[in-house]
Amino acid sequence: MRCNQSQSCKSNISSGTTISRRFRRLYWPALFLLVSLWSVPAWAQSYAYVPTHKSNTVSVINTSTNSVVTVVPVGVQPLQAAISPDGALAYVTNSGWFAPNNDVSVISTATNTVVATIPVGRFPVGVAFTPNGAFVYVANQNSNDVSVINTVTRTVVATVAVGVNPWGVAIAPNGAFAYVTDQASNDVSVINTSTNTVVAKVPVGLNPVGLAITPNGAFAYVANYLSSSLSVISTATNTVVNTVGVAAYPIAIAITPNGSAAYVPTNGDNIVSVINTLSNTLAGSVVVGSIPRGVAISPDGSLAYVSNRLSNDVSVINTATNTVVATVSGVAALPEGVAIKP
């Protein structure tokens, strides 16, 4: 439009300049905020899933605020959880205790609702995904076997007999073998995942429970509950190559993503033992809540989340300083395992 009066044109120009200035004032803060959101560490936008034994639920913790954001009802007396490699699903073992319903609840992490329930063996405890997410291995304590679940059909496609009272399960980073702790027979069953057969039995300490495999796949660390020790298994030879003493009643193990440290909750002293995996020596001890049971490391390795069974909370440990930097309250009764969404 052509201006017929000089004053009108000046007014329009002035108005446009004012709008432009306002836009610039809003643009840069908005851009800064957007970049800030993009730069938030992955773990800070993640969630920890904590099965709570007595409430038949899973407490979901926002790891950026360290607060419980929702509680998901599952089966009877859940014990452990594992997150799929793509982060889309959480598989939770429902031990059933004395009830006949022994199963696994499948939780969608997008909606935090149960989308499937899969029957397995008696008193399921440990659970682990293969690295490609195609299968889940579940240790059934009272039926002395491992259920192998196809994650596409969500059905058990194989049952593998192992030792007596299996508890924990961990799968090698290359997916070739699953390692299962057998509590009453004091050994670890090694399952070839291609054939779903036991190819080795490795004697360890008394009452082995939790276990974890180093990121490079070279070693499996096994918590011997009644020996107050860790057995270090060479996965190349399936033999114990070291034994590390820890505090009383170690129950679970998590290894940092760089493989340099193992975090081991110990029931007897309400602490977490920190192991230097290069020297296999005790690097420190961190006091946590009452009867620590489960542990998981944040994807970037900066934090360890520890579930405390009798204080009904979760301790958050800074792995750089090995100090508790937060305690998450509001967790339902008797938290057990911990799994963090990648």
Side-chain angles (χ1 to χ4, degrees), residues 43 48 63 66 253-257 261-265 272-274 286 288 294-308 314-320 322-328 338 340:
W43 63 263
T63 58
N66 283 325
I253 303 176
I255 297 174
T256 54
Y263 285 74
V264 185
V272 172
S273 296
V274 184
V286 185
V288 291
V295 60
I297 309 292
S298 62
D300 70 345
S302 66
L303 300 170
Y305 282 71
V306 180
S307 58
N308 303 306
V314 171
S315 298
V316 184
I317 299 172
N318 181 316
T319 58
N322 284 328
T323 56
V324 173
V325 293
T327 300
V328 184
V338 184
I340 297 180

Side-chain angles (χ1 to χ4, degrees), residues 43-342:
W43 63 263
Q45 303 174 54
S46 191
Y47 296 88
Y49 287 75
V50 183
T52 49
H53 197 201
K54 286 299 181 186
S55 64
N56 300 334
T57 62
V58 172
S59 293
V60 182
I61 296 171
N62 183 322
T63 58
S64 63
T65 61
N66 283 325
S67 59
V68 175
V69 292
T70 192
V71 174
V72 184
V74 288
V76 176
Q77 299 206 350
L79 290 177
Q80 302 289 334
I83 309 294
S84 60
D86 63 1
L89 299 169
Y91 274 54
V92 179
T93 53
N94 303 308
S95 66
W97 207 244
F98 295 108
N101 46 329
N102 309 134
D103 50 39
V104 172
S105 294
V106 182
I107 298 173
S108 164
T109 59
T111 61
N112 282 324
T113 57
V114 173
V115 294
T117 301
I118 306 168
V120 288
R122 296 194 305 276
F123 206 98
V125 186
V127 54
F129 276 86
T130 55
N132 62 6
F135 298 96
V136 167
Y137 283 68
V138 177
N140 304 307
Q141 181 179 354
N142 287 354
S143 53
N144 300 328
D145 57 28
V146 171
S147 297
V148 183
I149 298 171
N150 181 310
T151 58
V152 174
T153 62
R154 293 176 180 167
T155 57
V156 173
V157 293
T159 301
V160 186
V162 289
V164 183
N165 297 150
W167 177 276
V169 59
I171 296 178
N174 64 5
F177 298 98
Y179 290 74
V180 180
T181 54
D182 303 314
Q183 292 180 88
S185 49
N186 300 323
D187 56 28
V188 172
S189 295
V190 183
I191 299 173
N192 181 319
T193 57
S194 295
T195 60
N196 282 323
T197 57
V198 173
V199 294
K201 290 283 188 75
V202 185
V204 290
L206 298 177
N207 198 224
V209 279
L211 76 165
I213 299 175
T214 54
N216 63 4
F219 301 99
Y221 281 71
V222 179
N224 302 308
Y225 191 78
L226 295 181
S227 296
S228 298
S229 67
L230 307 180
S231 295
V232 184
I233 297 173
S234 165
T235 58
T237 61
N238 284 327
T239 57
V240 173
V241 293
N242 214 320
T243 301
V244 185
V246 293
Y249 307 132
I251 186 73
I253 303 176
I255 297 174
T256 54
N258 64 6
S260 66
Y263 285 74
V264 185
T266 52
N267 283 190
D269 300 301
N270 298 331
I271 67 170
V272 172
S273 296
V274 184
I275 306 301
N276 181 321
T277 56
L278 299 179
S279 60
N280 282 322
T281 57
L282 183 66
S285 298
V286 185
V287 177
V288 291
S290 179
I291 313 296
R293 296 286 289 182
V295 60
I297 309 292
S298 62
D300 70 345
S302 66
L303 300 170
Y305 282 71
V306 180
S307 58
N308 303 306
R309 187 177 193 184
L310 291 189
S311 51
N312 296 326
D313 53 27
V314 171
S315 298
V316 184
I317 299 172
N318 181 316
T319 58
T321 61
N322 284 328
T323 56
V324 173
V325 293
T327 300
V328 184
S329 58
V331 177
L334 300 192
E336 287 280 344
V338 184
I340 297 180
K341 180 180 174 182

